[in-house]
Amino acid sequence: MSSYLALQFATGALPFHYFIFSLFSTLLLLLACIDWYYLLLPNPIVGALILTGVGLSPWLLGLNVISILITALSCYVLLWLINRLYFAFKKKVGLGQGDMKFIVALATWFDVQQLAILIISASLTAIPFYCYHYLYSHSKIVIIPYGTFLSLSGIGCFYIYHMPSLFD
């Protein structure tokens, strides 16, 4: 899929802003499907999302690479601390390591406020999934493929926050 998009961009059939949106959406949809079926967010795909985010975000967000990396690192440290506190109180993992890395990858594409809205919207869309499985499954342990909800929310947030600025 991405090679097709690159070919379309190279031949001039796909404008650059659509190419960026297509690349971002392709990576996120791939991660959404993998997480939905396998509860796994592969490091190579998340790494590609981080690299493209660091490469394109100075243009998208108007920030320098150092501030983007500091934001991503701060995001990871904050999520790690929250996860450790949750584990200390509940004695179970609240957020998987893949989800944390994925949120950090999204932090390279969005500023802090946009990332907060993305995480809140992903959480709000995951709640009905959780409630359904909690009520109707035989097990009361529900594992949420949160990366799927992050992906769908990320595509929506990219369209809302970045597509208008790409046309300027």
PDB file of all heavy atoms in Angstrom, residues 30-69:
ATOM      1  N   LEU A  30      -2.728  -0.249   9.912  1.00  0.00           N
ATOM      2  CA  LEU A  30      -1.972  -1.491  10.067  1.00  0.00           C
ATOM      3  C   LEU A  30      -1.795  -1.830  11.541  1.00  0.00           C
ATOM      4  O   LEU A  30      -2.029  -2.966  11.968  1.00  0.00           O
ATOM      5  CB  LEU A  30      -0.617  -1.355   9.366  1.00  0.00           C
ATOM      6  CG  LEU A  30       0.291  -2.572   9.359  1.00  0.00           C
ATOM      7  CD1 LEU A  30      -0.388  -3.756   8.670  1.00  0.00           C
ATOM      8  CD2 LEU A  30       1.593  -2.238   8.656  1.00  0.00           C
ATOM      9  N   LEU A  31      -1.420  -0.832  12.339  1.00  0.00           N
ATOM     10  CA  LEU A  31      -1.278  -1.057  13.780  1.00  0.00           C
ATOM     11  C   LEU A  31      -2.611  -1.406  14.427  1.00  0.00           C
ATOM     12  O   LEU A  31      -2.676  -2.252  15.327  1.00  0.00           O
ATOM     13  CB  LEU A  31      -0.676   0.183  14.448  1.00  0.00           C
ATOM     14  CG  LEU A  31       0.817   0.399  14.204  1.00  0.00           C
ATOM     15  CD1 LEU A  31       1.235   1.782  14.664  1.00  0.00           C
ATOM     16  CD2 LEU A  31       1.636  -0.667  14.901  1.00  0.00           C
ATOM     17  N   ALA A  32      -3.692  -0.773  13.979  1.00  0.00           N
ATOM     18  CA  ALA A  32      -5.019  -1.054  14.536  1.00  0.00           C
ATOM     19  C   ALA A  32      -5.417  -2.507  14.306  1.00  0.00           C
ATOM     20  O   ALA A  32      -5.893  -3.186  15.221  1.00  0.00           O
ATOM     21  CB  ALA A  32      -6.056  -0.118  13.929  1.00  0.00           C
ATOM     22  N   CYS A  33      -5.202  -2.992  13.097  1.00  0.00           N
ATOM     23  CA  CYS A  33      -5.562  -4.376  12.778  1.00  0.00           C
ATOM     24  C   CYS A  33      -4.710  -5.379  13.549  1.00  0.00           C
ATOM     25  O   CYS A  33      -5.223  -6.361  14.086  1.00  0.00           O
ATOM     26  CB  CYS A  33      -5.428  -4.628  11.274  1.00  0.00           C
ATOM     27  SG  CYS A  33      -6.645  -3.736  10.299  1.00  0.00           S
ATOM     28  N   ILE A  34      -3.425  -5.134  13.609  1.00  0.00           N
ATOM     29  CA  ILE A  34      -2.531  -6.050  14.327  1.00  0.00           C
ATOM     30  C   ILE A  34      -2.887  -6.074  15.813  1.00  0.00           C
ATOM     31  O   ILE A  34      -2.953  -7.144  16.433  1.00  0.00           O
ATOM     32  CB  ILE A  34      -1.054  -5.675  14.111  1.00  0.00           C
ATOM     33  CG1 ILE A  34      -0.660  -5.911  12.650  1.00  0.00           C
ATOM     34  CG2 ILE A  34      -0.138  -6.460  15.042  1.00  0.00           C
ATOM     35  CD1 ILE A  34       0.694  -5.347  12.266  1.00  0.00           C
ATOM     36  N   ASP A  35      -3.133  -4.913  16.392  1.00  0.00           N
ATOM     37  CA  ASP A  35      -3.465  -4.865  17.816  1.00  0.00           C
ATOM     38  C   ASP A  35      -4.823  -5.516  18.084  1.00  0.00           C
ATOM     39  O   ASP A  35      -4.997  -6.192  19.094  1.00  0.00           O
ATOM     40  CB  ASP A  35      -3.456  -3.421  18.316  1.00  0.00           C
ATOM     41  CG  ASP A  35      -3.461  -3.346  19.834  1.00  0.00           C
ATOM     42  OD1 ASP A  35      -2.757  -4.161  20.466  1.00  0.00           O
ATOM     43  OD2 ASP A  35      -4.146  -2.480  20.383  1.00  0.00           O
ATOM     44  N   TRP A  36      -5.775  -5.333  17.196  1.00  0.00           N
ATOM     45  CA  TRP A  36      -7.103  -5.908  17.387  1.00  0.00           C
ATOM     46  C   TRP A  36      -7.033  -7.437  17.432  1.00  0.00           C
ATOM     47  O   TRP A  36      -7.674  -8.067  18.270  1.00  0.00           O
ATOM     48  CB  TRP A  36      -8.025  -5.454  16.263  1.00  0.00           C
ATOM     49  CG  TRP A  36      -9.427  -5.933  16.435  1.00  0.00           C
ATOM     50  CD1 TRP A  36     -10.006  -7.027  15.860  1.00  0.00           C
ATOM     51  CD2 TRP A  36     -10.441  -5.333  17.240  1.00  0.00           C
ATOM     52  NE1 TRP A  36     -11.307  -7.143  16.250  1.00  0.00           N
ATOM     53  CE2 TRP A  36     -11.603  -6.108  17.106  1.00  0.00           C
ATOM     54  CE3 TRP A  36     -10.472  -4.214  18.060  1.00  0.00           C
ATOM     55  CZ2 TRP A  36     -12.799  -5.808  17.763  1.00  0.00           C
ATOM     56  CZ3 TRP A  36     -11.660  -3.908  18.706  1.00  0.00           C
ATOM     57  CH2 TRP A  36     -12.799  -4.695  18.561  1.00  0.00           C
ATOM     58  N   TYR A  37      -6.262  -8.034  16.518  1.00  0.00           N
ATOM     59  CA  TYR A  37      -6.225  -9.490  16.429  1.00  0.00           C
ATOM     60  C   TYR A  37      -5.180 -10.138  17.326  1.00  0.00           C
ATOM     61  O   TYR A  37      -5.378 -11.254  17.798  1.00  0.00           O
ATOM     62  CB  TYR A  37      -6.006  -9.930  14.974  1.00  0.00           C
ATOM     63  CG  TYR A  37      -7.226  -9.702  14.130  1.00  0.00           C
ATOM     64  CD1 TYR A  37      -7.256  -8.684  13.197  1.00  0.00           C
ATOM     65  CD2 TYR A  37      -8.369 -10.477  14.290  1.00  0.00           C
ATOM     66  CE1 TYR A  37      -8.393  -8.455  12.427  1.00  0.00           C
ATOM     67  CE2 TYR A  37      -9.498 -10.255  13.542  1.00  0.00           C
ATOM     68  CZ  TYR A  37      -9.505  -9.243  12.606  1.00  0.00           C
ATOM     69  OH  TYR A  37     -10.627  -9.025  11.862  1.00  0.00           O
ATOM     70  N   TYR A  38      -4.054  -9.484  17.542  1.00  0.00           N
ATOM     71  CA  TYR A  38      -2.946 -10.121  18.257  1.00  0.00           C
ATOM     72  C   TYR A  38      -2.566  -9.433  19.567  1.00  0.00           C
ATOM     73  O   TYR A  38      -1.673  -9.907  20.262  1.00  0.00           O
ATOM     74  CB  TYR A  38      -1.705 -10.187  17.359  1.00  0.00           C
ATOM     75  CG  TYR A  38      -1.955 -10.938  16.086  1.00  0.00           C
ATOM     76  CD1 TYR A  38      -2.048 -10.269  14.867  1.00  0.00           C
ATOM     77  CD2 TYR A  38      -2.120 -12.322  16.088  1.00  0.00           C
ATOM     78  CE1 TYR A  38      -2.287 -10.952  13.696  1.00  0.00           C
ATOM     79  CE2 TYR A  38      -2.367 -13.010  14.922  1.00  0.00           C
ATOM     80  CZ  TYR A  38      -2.449 -12.325  13.727  1.00  0.00           C
ATOM     81  OH  TYR A  38      -2.691 -13.003  12.575  1.00  0.00           O
ATOM     82  N   LEU A  39      -3.205  -8.301  19.887  1.00  0.00           N
ATOM     83  CA  LEU A  39      -2.847  -7.511  21.079  1.00  0.00           C
ATOM     84  C   LEU A  39      -1.352  -7.213  21.088  1.00  0.00           C
ATOM     85  O   LEU A  39      -0.671  -7.383  22.095  1.00  0.00           O
ATOM     86  CB  LEU A  39      -3.262  -8.231  22.368  1.00  0.00           C
ATOM     87  CG  LEU A  39      -4.759  -8.471  22.551  1.00  0.00           C
ATOM     88  CD1 LEU A  39      -5.019  -9.339  23.766  1.00  0.00           C
ATOM     89  CD2 LEU A  39      -5.501  -7.146  22.655  1.00  0.00           C
ATOM     90  N   LEU A  40      -0.883  -6.759  19.954  1.00  0.00           N
ATOM     91  CA  LEU A  40       0.545  -6.513  19.763  1.00  0.00           C
ATOM     92  C   LEU A  40       0.722  -5.293  18.865  1.00  0.00           C
ATOM     93  O   LEU A  40       0.006  -5.131  17.885  1.00  0.00           O
ATOM     94  CB  LEU A  40       1.177  -7.755  19.099  1.00  0.00           C
ATOM     95  CG  LEU A  40       2.644  -7.722  18.764  1.00  0.00           C
ATOM     96  CD1 LEU A  40       3.460  -7.818  20.050  1.00  0.00           C
ATOM     97  CD2 LEU A  40       2.995  -8.862  17.841  1.00  0.00           C
ATOM     98  N   LEU A  41       1.662  -4.448  19.231  1.00  0.00           N
ATOM     99  CA  LEU A  41       2.019  -3.296  18.404  1.00  0.00           C
ATOM    100  C   LEU A  41       3.501  -3.454  18.042  1.00  0.00           C
ATOM    101  O   LEU A  41       4.367  -3.159  18.850  1.00  0.00           O
ATOM    102  CB  LEU A  41       1.765  -1.991  19.160  1.00  0.00           C
ATOM    103  CG  LEU A  41       0.295  -1.705  19.455  1.00  0.00           C
ATOM    104  CD1 LEU A  41       0.141  -0.633  20.513  1.00  0.00           C
ATOM    105  CD2 LEU A  41      -0.430  -1.316  18.191  1.00  0.00           C
ATOM    106  N   PRO A  42       3.782  -3.948  16.835  1.00  0.00           N
ATOM    107  CA  PRO A  42       5.167  -4.268  16.462  1.00  0.00           C
ATOM    108  C   PRO A  42       6.092  -3.048  16.478  1.00  0.00           C
ATOM    109  O   PRO A  42       5.747  -1.979  15.969  1.00  0.00           O
ATOM    110  CB  PRO A  42       5.041  -4.820  15.042  1.00  0.00           C
ATOM    111  CG  PRO A  42       3.613  -5.196  14.888  1.00  0.00           C
ATOM    112  CD  PRO A  42       2.834  -4.289  15.777  1.00  0.00           C
ATOM    113  N   ASN A  43       7.261  -3.239  17.073  1.00  0.00           N
ATOM    114  CA  ASN A  43       8.246  -2.156  17.183  1.00  0.00           C
ATOM    115  C   ASN A  43       8.665  -1.571  15.843  1.00  0.00           C
ATOM    116  O   ASN A  43       8.832  -0.353  15.748  1.00  0.00           O
ATOM    117  CB  ASN A  43       9.470  -2.633  17.959  1.00  0.00           C
ATOM    118  CG  ASN A  43       9.171  -2.803  19.430  1.00  0.00           C
ATOM    119  OD1 ASN A  43       8.230  -2.223  19.960  1.00  0.00           O
ATOM    120  ND2 ASN A  43       9.967  -3.611  20.102  1.00  0.00           N
ATOM    121  N   PRO A  44       8.871  -2.376  14.780  1.00  0.00           N
ATOM    122  CA  PRO A  44       9.281  -1.761  13.509  1.00  0.00           C
ATOM    123  C   PRO A  44       8.255  -0.770  12.950  1.00  0.00           C
ATOM    124  O   PRO A  44       8.625   0.272  12.413  1.00  0.00           O
ATOM    125  CB  PRO A  44       9.459  -2.955  12.562  1.00  0.00           C
ATOM    126  CG  PRO A  44       9.747  -4.104  13.463  1.00  0.00           C
ATOM    127  CD  PRO A  44       8.945  -3.850  14.698  1.00  0.00           C
ATOM    128  N   ILE A  45       6.971  -1.070  13.107  1.00  0.00           N
ATOM    129  CA  ILE A  45       5.947  -0.160  12.585  1.00  0.00           C
ATOM    130  C   ILE A  45       5.843   1.081  13.470  1.00  0.00           C
ATOM    131  O   ILE A  45       5.748   2.206  12.972  1.00  0.00           O
ATOM    132  CB  ILE A  45       4.590  -0.879  12.466  1.00  0.00           C
ATOM    133  CG1 ILE A  45       4.723  -2.094  11.549  1.00  0.00           C
ATOM    134  CG2 ILE A  45       3.524   0.070  11.938  1.00  0.00           C
ATOM    135  CD1 ILE A  45       3.522  -3.004  11.534  1.00  0.00           C
ATOM    136  N   VAL A  46       5.894   0.878  14.797  1.00  0.00           N
ATOM    137  CA  VAL A  46       5.870   2.021  15.716  1.00  0.00           C
ATOM    138  C   VAL A  46       7.120   2.876  15.493  1.00  0.00           C
ATOM    139  O   VAL A  46       7.051   4.102  15.496  1.00  0.00           O
ATOM    140  CB  VAL A  46       5.748   1.550  17.183  1.00  0.00           C
ATOM    141  CG1 VAL A  46       5.877   2.714  18.139  1.00  0.00           C
ATOM    142  CG2 VAL A  46       4.428   0.832  17.406  1.00  0.00           C
ATOM    143  N   GLY A  47       8.253   2.222  15.262  1.00  0.00           N
ATOM    144  CA  GLY A  47       9.495   2.950  14.975  1.00  0.00           C
ATOM    145  C   GLY A  47       9.394   3.765  13.697  1.00  0.00           C
ATOM    146  O   GLY A  47       9.866   4.903  13.639  1.00  0.00           O
ATOM    147  N   ALA A  48       8.772   3.192  12.673  1.00  0.00           N
ATOM    148  CA  ALA A  48       8.574   3.936  11.420  1.00  0.00           C
ATOM    149  C   ALA A  48       7.675   5.147  11.648  1.00  0.00           C
ATOM    150  O   ALA A  48       7.906   6.223  11.087  1.00  0.00           O
ATOM    151  CB  ALA A  48       7.967   3.021  10.355  1.00  0.00           C
ATOM    152  N   LEU A  49       6.677   4.977  12.508  1.00  0.00           N
ATOM    153  CA  LEU A  49       5.794   6.096  12.838  1.00  0.00           C
ATOM    154  C   LEU A  49       6.561   7.185  13.582  1.00  0.00           C
ATOM    155  O   LEU A  49       6.365   8.374  13.325  1.00  0.00           O
ATOM    156  CB  LEU A  49       4.627   5.586  13.681  1.00  0.00           C
ATOM    157  CG  LEU A  49       3.461   6.517  13.906  1.00  0.00           C
ATOM    158  CD1 LEU A  49       2.784   6.861  12.584  1.00  0.00           C
ATOM    159  CD2 LEU A  49       2.462   5.887  14.858  1.00  0.00           C
ATOM    160  N   ILE A  50       7.457   6.792  14.475  1.00  0.00           N
ATOM    161  CA  ILE A  50       8.276   7.771  15.203  1.00  0.00           C
ATOM    162  C   ILE A  50       9.204   8.505  14.240  1.00  0.00           C
ATOM    163  O   ILE A  50       9.300   9.738  14.271  1.00  0.00           O
ATOM    164  CB  ILE A  50       9.078   7.088  16.334  1.00  0.00           C
ATOM    165  CG1 ILE A  50       8.138   6.629  17.443  1.00  0.00           C
ATOM    166  CG2 ILE A  50      10.141   8.025  16.892  1.00  0.00           C
ATOM    167  CD1 ILE A  50       8.794   5.767  18.499  1.00  0.00           C
ATOM    168  N   LEU A  51       9.881   7.768  13.378  1.00  0.00           N
ATOM    169  CA  LEU A  51      10.825   8.393  12.442  1.00  0.00           C
ATOM    170  C   LEU A  51      10.134   9.349  11.480  1.00  0.00           C
ATOM    171  O   LEU A  51      10.620  10.463  11.241  1.00  0.00           O
ATOM    172  CB  LEU A  51      11.588   7.329  11.667  1.00  0.00           C
ATOM    173  CG  LEU A  51      12.605   6.521  12.467  1.00  0.00           C
ATOM    174  CD1 LEU A  51      13.226   5.437  11.607  1.00  0.00           C
ATOM    175  CD2 LEU A  51      13.668   7.432  13.051  1.00  0.00           C
ATOM    176  N   THR A  52       8.996   8.942  10.947  1.00  0.00           N
ATOM    177  CA  THR A  52       8.292   9.836  10.034  1.00  0.00           C
ATOM    178  C   THR A  52       7.714  11.029  10.793  1.00  0.00           C
ATOM    179  O   THR A  52       7.682  12.140  10.267  1.00  0.00           O
ATOM    180  CB  THR A  52       7.172   9.104   9.262  1.00  0.00           C
ATOM    181  OG1 THR A  52       6.307   8.448  10.200  1.00  0.00           O
ATOM    182  CG2 THR A  52       7.749   8.091   8.295  1.00  0.00           C
ATOM    183  N   GLY A  53       7.295  10.806  12.037  1.00  0.00           N
ATOM    184  CA  GLY A  53       6.789  11.916  12.846  1.00  0.00           C
ATOM    185  C   GLY A  53       7.868  12.935  13.150  1.00  0.00           C
ATOM    186  O   GLY A  53       7.656  14.141  13.029  1.00  0.00           O
ATOM    187  N   VAL A  54       9.044  12.449  13.537  1.00  0.00           N
ATOM    188  CA  VAL A  54      10.159  13.364  13.816  1.00  0.00           C
ATOM    189  C   VAL A  54      10.590  14.090  12.539  1.00  0.00           C
ATOM    190  O   VAL A  54      10.924  15.269  12.564  1.00  0.00           O
ATOM    191  CB  VAL A  54      11.339  12.602  14.456  1.00  0.00           C
ATOM    192  CG1 VAL A  54      12.589  13.452  14.513  1.00  0.00           C
ATOM    193  CG2 VAL A  54      10.966  12.130  15.861  1.00  0.00           C
ATOM    194  N   GLY A  55      10.532  13.394  11.419  1.00  0.00           N
ATOM    195  CA  GLY A  55      10.937  14.012  10.157  1.00  0.00           C
ATOM    196  C   GLY A  55       9.944  15.026   9.616  1.00  0.00           C
ATOM    197  O   GLY A  55      10.335  16.030   9.019  1.00  0.00           O
ATOM    198  N   LEU A  56       8.650  14.772   9.818  1.00  0.00           N
ATOM    199  CA  LEU A  56       7.633  15.641   9.224  1.00  0.00           C
ATOM    200  C   LEU A  56       7.016  16.648  10.196  1.00  0.00           C
ATOM    201  O   LEU A  56       6.441  17.641   9.772  1.00  0.00           O
ATOM    202  CB  LEU A  56       6.516  14.783   8.609  1.00  0.00           C
ATOM    203  CG  LEU A  56       6.925  13.938   7.413  1.00  0.00           C
ATOM    204  CD1 LEU A  56       5.799  13.004   7.011  1.00  0.00           C
ATOM    205  CD2 LEU A  56       7.324  14.824   6.250  1.00  0.00           C
ATOM    206  N   SER A  57       7.116  16.406  11.498  1.00  0.00           N
ATOM    207  CA  SER A  57       6.484  17.300  12.468  1.00  0.00           C
ATOM    208  C   SER A  57       7.060  18.708  12.514  1.00  0.00           C
ATOM    209  O   SER A  57       6.308  19.640  12.805  1.00  0.00           O
ATOM    210  CB  SER A  57       6.492  16.676  13.855  1.00  0.00           C
ATOM    211  OG  SER A  57       5.511  15.677  13.921  1.00  0.00           O
ATOM    212  N   PRO A  58       8.351  18.895  12.257  1.00  0.00           N
ATOM    213  CA  PRO A  58       8.793  20.301  12.200  1.00  0.00           C
ATOM    214  C   PRO A  58       8.021  21.091  11.141  1.00  0.00           C
ATOM    215  O   PRO A  58       7.700  22.262  11.344  1.00  0.00           O
ATOM    216  CB  PRO A  58      10.272  20.188  11.843  1.00  0.00           C
ATOM    217  CG  PRO A  58      10.684  18.876  12.404  1.00  0.00           C
ATOM    218  CD  PRO A  58       9.490  17.981  12.197  1.00  0.00           C
ATOM    219  N   TRP A  59       7.681  20.454  10.068  1.00  0.00           N
ATOM    220  CA  TRP A  59       6.901  21.090   9.015  1.00  0.00           C
ATOM    221  C   TRP A  59       5.428  21.198   9.413  1.00  0.00           C
ATOM    222  O   TRP A  59       4.786  22.215   9.193  1.00  0.00           O
ATOM    223  CB  TRP A  59       7.060  20.302   7.726  1.00  0.00           C
ATOM    224  CG  TRP A  59       6.246  20.811   6.603  1.00  0.00           C
ATOM    225  CD1 TRP A  59       6.373  22.015   5.967  1.00  0.00           C
ATOM    226  CD2 TRP A  59       5.155  20.138   5.979  1.00  0.00           C
ATOM    227  NE1 TRP A  59       5.434  22.131   4.980  1.00  0.00           N
ATOM    228  CE2 TRP A  59       4.674  20.980   4.970  1.00  0.00           C
ATOM    229  CE3 TRP A  59       4.556  18.911   6.160  1.00  0.00           C
ATOM    230  CZ2 TRP A  59       3.614  20.634   4.155  1.00  0.00           C
ATOM    231  CZ3 TRP A  59       3.501  18.566   5.355  1.00  0.00           C
ATOM    232  CH2 TRP A  59       3.047  19.429   4.369  1.00  0.00           C
ATOM    233  N   LEU A  60       4.879  20.138  10.057  1.00  0.00           N
ATOM    234  CA  LEU A  60       3.469  20.135  10.444  1.00  0.00           C
ATOM    235  C   LEU A  60       3.183  21.045  11.635  1.00  0.00           C
ATOM    236  O   LEU A  60       2.205  21.774  11.655  1.00  0.00           O
ATOM    237  CB  LEU A  60       3.022  18.717  10.813  1.00  0.00           C
ATOM    238  CG  LEU A  60       2.811  17.728   9.681  1.00  0.00           C
ATOM    239  CD1 LEU A  60       2.564  16.337  10.238  1.00  0.00           C
ATOM    240  CD2 LEU A  60       1.660  18.151   8.814  1.00  0.00           C
ATOM    241  N   LEU A  61       4.046  20.957  12.666  1.00  0.00           N
ATOM    242  CA  LEU A  61       3.791  21.666  13.915  1.00  0.00           C
ATOM    243  C   LEU A  61       4.567  22.968  14.042  1.00  0.00           C
ATOM    244  O   LEU A  61       4.289  23.767  14.929  1.00  0.00           O
ATOM    245  CB  LEU A  61       4.134  20.766  15.112  1.00  0.00           C
ATOM    246  CG  LEU A  61       3.365  19.449  15.219  1.00  0.00           C
ATOM    247  CD1 LEU A  61       3.908  18.614  16.347  1.00  0.00           C
ATOM    248  CD2 LEU A  61       1.889  19.711  15.402  1.00  0.00           C
ATOM    249  N   GLY A  62       5.574  23.147  13.225  1.00  0.00           N
ATOM    250  CA  GLY A  62       6.398  24.333  13.327  1.00  0.00           C
ATOM    251  C   GLY A  62       7.348  24.301  14.514  1.00  0.00           C
ATOM    252  O   GLY A  62       7.808  25.338  14.963  1.00  0.00           O
ATOM    253  N   LEU A  63       7.635  23.117  15.023  1.00  0.00           N
ATOM    254  CA  LEU A  63       8.551  22.966  16.149  1.00  0.00           C
ATOM    255  C   LEU A  63       9.869  22.387  15.665  1.00  0.00           C
ATOM    256  O   LEU A  63       9.936  21.758  14.616  1.00  0.00           O
ATOM    257  CB  LEU A  63       7.947  22.016  17.201  1.00  0.00           C
ATOM    258  CG  LEU A  63       6.595  22.420  17.780  1.00  0.00           C
ATOM    259  CD1 LEU A  63       6.053  21.298  18.647  1.00  0.00           C
ATOM    260  CD2 LEU A  63       6.712  23.698  18.578  1.00  0.00           C
ATOM    261  N   ASN A  64      10.917  22.586  16.458  1.00  0.00           N
ATOM    262  CA  ASN A  64      12.184  21.971  16.071  1.00  0.00           C
ATOM    263  C   ASN A  64      12.243  20.532  16.568  1.00  0.00           C
ATOM    264  O   ASN A  64      11.454  20.118  17.418  1.00  0.00           O
ATOM    265  CB  ASN A  64      13.379  22.801  16.573  1.00  0.00           C
ATOM    266  CG  ASN A  64      13.428  22.895  18.081  1.00  0.00           C
ATOM    267  OD1 ASN A  64      12.888  22.072  18.783  1.00  0.00           O
ATOM    268  ND2 ASN A  64      14.089  23.929  18.570  1.00  0.00           N
ATOM    269  N   VAL A  65      13.151  19.778  16.035  1.00  0.00           N
ATOM    270  CA  VAL A  65      13.246  18.350  16.325  1.00  0.00           C
ATOM    271  C   VAL A  65      13.540  18.101  17.802  1.00  0.00           C
ATOM    272  O   VAL A  65      12.983  17.169  18.399  1.00  0.00           O
ATOM    273  CB  VAL A  65      14.329  17.694  15.425  1.00  0.00           C
ATOM    274  CG1 VAL A  65      14.559  16.246  15.813  1.00  0.00           C
ATOM    275  CG2 VAL A  65      13.937  17.793  13.964  1.00  0.00           C
ATOM    276  N   ILE A  66      14.375  18.935  18.412  1.00  0.00           N
ATOM    277  CA  ILE A  66      14.725  18.750  19.827  1.00  0.00           C
ATOM    278  C   ILE A  66      13.479  18.860  20.705  1.00  0.00           C
ATOM    279  O   ILE A  66      13.274  18.031  21.597  1.00  0.00           O
ATOM    280  CB  ILE A  66      15.798  19.776  20.265  1.00  0.00           C
ATOM    281  CG1 ILE A  66      17.067  19.624  19.440  1.00  0.00           C
ATOM    282  CG2 ILE A  66      16.086  19.662  21.748  1.00  0.00           C
ATOM    283  CD1 ILE A  66      17.731  18.279  19.560  1.00  0.00           C
ATOM    284  N   SER A  67      12.630  19.845  20.471  1.00  0.00           N
ATOM    285  CA  SER A  67      11.424  19.987  21.296  1.00  0.00           C
ATOM    286  C   SER A  67      10.462  18.827  21.072  1.00  0.00           C
ATOM    287  O   SER A  67       9.782  18.394  22.006  1.00  0.00           O
ATOM    288  CB  SER A  67      10.745  21.319  21.040  1.00  0.00           C
ATOM    289  OG  SER A  67      10.276  21.394  19.728  1.00  0.00           O
ATOM    290  N   ILE A  68      10.399  18.310  19.865  1.00  0.00           N
ATOM    291  CA  ILE A  68       9.544  17.153  19.586  1.00  0.00           C
ATOM    292  C   ILE A  68      10.061  15.931  20.351  1.00  0.00           C
ATOM    293  O   ILE A  68       9.285  15.190  20.968  1.00  0.00           O
ATOM    294  CB  ILE A  68       9.485  16.878  18.069  1.00  0.00           C
ATOM    295  CG1 ILE A  68       8.720  18.000  17.372  1.00  0.00           C
ATOM    296  CG2 ILE A  68       8.829  15.535  17.779  1.00  0.00           C
ATOM    297  CD1 ILE A  68       8.852  18.002  15.877  1.00  0.00           C
ATOM    298  N   LEU A  69      11.374  15.725  20.332  1.00  0.00           N
ATOM    299  CA  LEU A  69      11.956  14.588  21.058  1.00  0.00           C
ATOM    300  C   LEU A  69      11.797  14.741  22.563  1.00  0.00           C
ATOM    301  O   LEU A  69      11.539  13.756  23.272  1.00  0.00           O
ATOM    302  CB  LEU A  69      13.421  14.421  20.676  1.00  0.00           C
ATOM    303  CG  LEU A  69      13.679  13.980  19.230  1.00  0.00           C
ATOM    304  CD1 LEU A  69      15.163  13.978  18.927  1.00  0.00           C
ATOM    305  CD2 LEU A  69      13.070  12.610  18.970  1.00  0.00           C
TER     306      LEU A  69
END
